[in-house]
Amino acid sequence: MITGLDHIAIAVPDLHKAIERFAEDFGLPLKATEDVPEAKTSAAFLPIEKSSIELIHPLNGEGPVQKYLDKKGGGIHHLCFRSDDIEADIERLKAKGYQFLSDAPTKGAHNCKVIFIHPKSCDGVLVELNQPMDH
Ligand code: CO
């Protein structure tokens, strides 16, 4: 079941500058920065009211976010719904015809299982599902 809007991710060409904008100009607290090699990104999380702004920047100048920046220069990249049972949600959505970018969830930021739904299944919006891993 989808239980909340976990974050909205913005692809940024200059992570430091973007963190300054959201932290200093907009006043959001900077909770964490994290490299996510699996996604070839560096991410910064700035929480607001049970959700977050996630700033994403390519790791080592490569990967899907680099391609996005090359094409668009920056912008809203994806939104992420929090799930309390990601496998069940994947199964349910696959049965409805949704296409995913991978066959199974992978490890994302914040020790979460994540998977992306293909934008063509969601009117051009890249949608991520995540579920915190129990430890
Ligand atoms: Co994300």
Side-chain angles (χ1 to χ4, degrees):
M1 192 175 73
I2 286 169
T3 59
L5 179 65
D6 190 84
H7 60 264
I8 292 176
I10 302 171
V12 299
D14 184 331
L15 187 58
H16 181 73
K17 220 160 124 182
I19 288 172
E20 266 183 8
R21 177 179 312 119
F22 280 88
E24 286 171 28
D25 301 348
F26 298 161
L28 273 59
L30 175 63
K31 185 178 164 201
T33 58
E34 182 179 350
D35 287 348
V36 189
E38 290 87 348
K40 294 186 176 5
T41 57
S42 284
F45 284 91
L46 300 103
I48 180 166
E49 278 282 305
K50 295 180 181 170
S51 189
S52 286
I53 299 294
E54 177 189 26
L55 302 172
I56 50 173
H57 182 78
L59 255 186
N60 309 318
E62 57 171 17
V65 173
Q66 183 62 56
K67 281 187 195 137
Y68 181 92
L69 290 175
D70 290 344
K71 210 156 87 180
K72 306 200 175 178
I76 292 183
H77 185 263
H78 65 266
L79 58 85
C80 176
F81 290 123
R82 194 178 305 123
S83 169
D84 60 2
D85 187 345
I86 196 166
E87 272 82 13
D89 281 322
I90 292 166
E91 201 174 316
R92 187 172 58 79
L93 293 169
K94 273 186 179 165
K96 286 176 176 283
Y98 283 82
Q99 290 186 37
F100 287 78
L101 296 188
S102 58
D103 291 333
T106 57
K107 188 185 174 305
H110 287 168
N111 204 31
C112 280
K113 290 193 269 192
V114 305
I115 194 163
F116 287 88
I117 300 172
H118 198 292
K120 72 183 174 194
S121 294
C122 298
D123 289 324
V125 178
L126 179 59
V127 175
E128 177 184 13
L129 303 176
N130 81 0
Q131 180 182 10
M133 281 193 263
D134 302 315
H135 42 94

